[in-house]
Amino acid sequence: MPRFDAVLFDLDGVLADTAHIHFAAWRRLAEELGIHLEPTFEEKLKGVDRMTSLDLILAQGGPDGPVQRTVEERRVLADRKNGYYQAAIAEQTPDDLLPGARRVLEEVRAAGLKTSLASASHNAPPLLDQLGIRPLIDAIANPAAVKAPKPAPDLFLEAARLVGVPPERCLGVEDAVAGIASIKDAGMVAVGIGDPTVLTRADYVVPAIANFYISDFF
Ligand code: BG6
Ligand code: MG
């Protein structure tokens, strides 16, 4: 008997190599505002929704301290970042899937488990189409439909609800510290993709999705 009935996947940095594309777009915007982001800042932004990411960047600020912007100005800045991101992912094709991503989705399905997406990104649905994996995903949780973003458990709970599986029968797969917190606080088992010294709350950590085999969880 498999220990799980569903696998809930994050997208950016788990199935698609888009985490660094998000960060490159933020860095470009930040530079335009006179804010320098160290490479280490990327970890803080992973899994974090668009407006909160902008707030973290403005709060770090530049040489003169935090950068203040009105609500309307922040909305314009967030839209600008999204424009940079969308232009950068416009040409994504199935070749841009992370190695092993399609195999994992196919094996999870073949084992009789549901697949559900728990991505904070509003760009996830079109990206799934571009990557050619939408038919392998049973449900997509809409980040606009939940109360609180990651690290709150809401989005993973919604992804589980959509496939009708209770949290304790769900395995969540995430590359972000915020995402692992979301999975654990939802009462699920967490597989981290990345560095175990960073993803300290994960139950298991593998370096990449290519190292994930659902048969290890039977
Ligand atoms: C997450 C990314 O998947 O989605 C974050 O890890 C990003 O970097 C967030 O900010 C929201 O994405 P979007 O496309 O709605 O701005
Ligand atoms: Mg991610």
Side-chain angles (χ1 to χ4, degrees):
M1 267 281 282
R3 284 160 55 200
F4 301 99
D5 296 317
V7 183
L8 316 182
F9 293 93
D10 175 44
L11 176 60
D12 298 313
V14 170
L15 301 173
D17 197 8
T18 40
H20 70 279
I21 302 179
H22 275 290
F23 187 58
W26 281 126
R27 258 189 146 172
R28 181 173 166 190
L29 182 81
E31 294 294 340
E32 290 166 359
L33 296 169
I35 298 173
H36 175 72
L37 299 181
E38 290 294 331
T40 48
F41 208 84
E42 178 169 0
E43 210 61 53
K44 289 187 197 163
L45 298 182
K46 279 186 189 168
V48 175
D49 69 278
R50 199 180 306 166
M51 266 312 172
T52 309
S53 298
L54 176 63
D55 288 346
L56 288 171
I57 291 166
L58 295 178
Q60 184 209 260
D64 303 326
V67 171
Q68 310 289 340
R69 288 290 185 276
T70 65
V71 171
E72 176 55 21
E73 288 168 339
R74 286 164 49 235
R75 197 188 57 74
V76 170
L77 290 173
D79 283 353
R80 200 199 294 174
K81 180 269 175 178
N82 195 45
Y84 296 155
Y85 178 72
Q86 288 183 336
I89 62 164
E91 307 299 328
Q92 291 261 316
T93 71
D95 289 341
D96 294 299
L97 275 174
L98 281 165
R102 170 171 281 273
R103 171 193 60 75
V104 168
L105 291 169
E106 287 172 348
E107 285 178 1
V108 167
R109 277 283 195 76
L113 284 73
K114 298 282 189 195
T115 56
S116 191
L117 198 79
S119 169
S121 177
H122 290 80
N123 292 295
L127 186 55
L128 290 180
D129 287 332
Q130 284 174 254
L131 297 169
I133 52 172
R134 171 100 74 143
L136 295 172
I137 309 271
D138 292 306
I140 302 172
N142 177 1
V146 299
K147 263 203 196 126
K150 298 174 189 177
D154 306 33
L155 195 62
F156 275 92
L157 290 171
E158 174 66 0
R161 188 191 68 78
L162 289 172
V163 290
V165 176
E168 64 274 15
R169 301 284 300 170
C170 290
L171 189 61
V173 189
E174 258 288 354
D175 69 318
V177 172
I180 296 290
S182 178
I183 295 168
K184 292 312 297 171
D185 289 346
M188 302 171 183
V189 174
V191 176
I193 303 290
D195 181 344
T197 66
V198 174
L199 306 173
T200 52
R201 282 190 71 194
D203 299 288
Y204 308 90
V205 179
V206 291
I209 194 73
N211 308 100
F212 178 96
Y213 292 90
I214 192 60
S215 53
D216 290 343
F217 296 92
F218 287 175

